Amino acid sequence: EMDLRYLQSLGILSPGDVQVMIRMQPQHRSMVTLHWSSLAASKGVKKAEAPSQVQGLLTARLLQVSQSQEEIVDTLALPVPFAYYHILSVMVIVNLGMWAYRMALTES
């Protein structure tokens, strides 16, 4: 909340924006911030009368950031503890590797 108040003191966020952000769940704040940045980028491109390719490049970059954020949220929401998830992933990869090796050695 202190970070939001700091952004308000800088004039980046309005008091209404701060109240909205405080009421929402913390994991959703980054998504809303990303949406606001896409709106600002779109208005900036129009105001600067930049070529249409610039809008496409900005949109592509923002979509990459959005996908990364969603992947992080999904990983943190796993019902399995983080360390166990990675141990399980390694076990599956090793198991698949051993199967592939064994199948490569069999004659059929």
Side-chain angles (χ1 to χ4, degrees):
E1 185 177 333
M2 291 180 61
D3 292 336
L4 295 173
R5 298 289 179 199
Y6 176 70
L7 291 174
Q8 181 183 358
S9 70
L10 293 175
I12 296 172
L13 294 177
S14 69
D17 293 337
V18 172
Q19 291 304 316
V20 168
M21 294 291 269
I22 288 172
R23 279 188 253 130
M24 73 176 54
Q25 296 178 358
Q27 63 265 26
H28 294 156
R29 290 180 186 165
S30 63
M31 301 291 182
V32 171
T33 305
L34 184 65
H35 177 69
W36 287 347
S37 65
S38 72
L39 293 175
S42 178
K43 287 182 181 181
V45 167
K46 287 179 186 174
K47 188 173 183 177
E49 298 176 358
S52 59
Q53 296 90 352
V54 173
Q55 180 68 38
L57 292 172
L58 285 172
T59 302
R61 177 62 78 176
L62 290 170
L63 285 174
Q64 286 176 347
V65 171
S66 174
Q67 289 171 349
S68 297
Q69 286 179 342
E70 288 175 13
E71 188 176 316
I72 290 170
V73 169
D74 290 343
T75 302
L76 291 175
L78 286 173
V80 178
F82 191 71
Y84 293 152
Y85 170 78
H86 288 292
I87 290 172
L88 180 63
S89 297
V90 169
M91 288 172 54
V92 168
I93 289 171
V94 168
N95 196 4
L96 289 173
M98 289 172 34
W99 278 358
Y101 178 73
R102 182 67 184 153
M103 283 190 227
L105 293 179
T106 58
E107 295 178 18
S108 58

